[in-house]
Amino acid sequence: MKKLVLGFCLTALAIAVGLAVLLSGRRPFAGLRAEDIREARVSLMPPDVEYVLTEEETEELAALLREVVLYRRDDSYREYSGQGVVFTLTMEDGNQVKAMDYNPFFVLDGEGYRTKYKPCEALNRFANQLRE
């Protein structure tokens, strides 16, 4: 009987840990600082406009990107229509990172992911305020 209860408890624990890992997501920009970014560009599609960000705007963008949470991989964003916001970051080390906010998706270097809604909505709002 003890073995049965122990087996049940271990199985339940394994399932709980698995769910926690699946649902917790990851933050690809968790350590991003504005000082790490040499240049930041934002493209809105539509209306097909691009902006080069100021230092102050780059600081705000870095703070917003730190909040992005990615869940499971999902390329079905290609079947959606709407506004995509593309962020092109040229890092101080010369590497370039391309990310597209396409809520409820986030596309990072060509790979789509389901994402947490609020951080991506904030990124979209930030980008659209650049037009004003």
Side-chain angles (χ1 to χ4, degrees), residues 8-106:
F8 177 75
C9 289
L10 289 176
T11 302
L13 180 63
I15 290 172
V17 169
L19 283 174
V21 168
L22 268 176
L23 298 177
S24 66
R26 68 180 180 100
R27 292 178 179 232
F29 299 104
L32 182 66
R33 299 172 309 148
E35 303 84 54
D36 300 332
I37 303 170
R38 183 183 307 154
E39 181 185 73
R41 294 178 177 270
V42 176
S43 301
L44 294 162
M45 301 176 303
D48 297 324
V49 294
E50 182 178 78
Y51 303 98
V52 177
L53 300 186
T54 65
E55 215 174 290
E56 184 179 302
E57 292 166 338
T58 300
E59 287 180 24
E60 187 175 350
L61 175 61
L64 291 169
L65 285 171
R66 283 193 298 269
E67 298 302 314
V68 170
V69 177
L70 303 182
Y71 297 117
R72 65 182 166 83
R73 186 138 186 264
D74 187 342
D75 287 329
S76 67
Y77 72 90
R78 295 178 177 147
E79 300 166 14
Y80 280 68
S81 61
Q83 184 184 52
V85 180
V86 178
F87 301 95
T88 305
L89 307 177
T90 303
M91 310 308 283
E92 281 297 333
D93 63 6
N95 286 329
Q96 196 172 67
V97 177
K98 232 179 195 172
M100 181 172 70
D101 173 24
Y102 198 54
N103 217 356
F105 302 98
F106 194 85

Side-chain angles (χ1 to χ4, degrees), residues 4 22 28-29 58 63 68 108 118-120 125:
L4 182 62
L22 268 176
F29 299 104
T58 300
V68 170
L108 184 58
K118 282 187 176 184
C120 281
R125 195 174 324 110

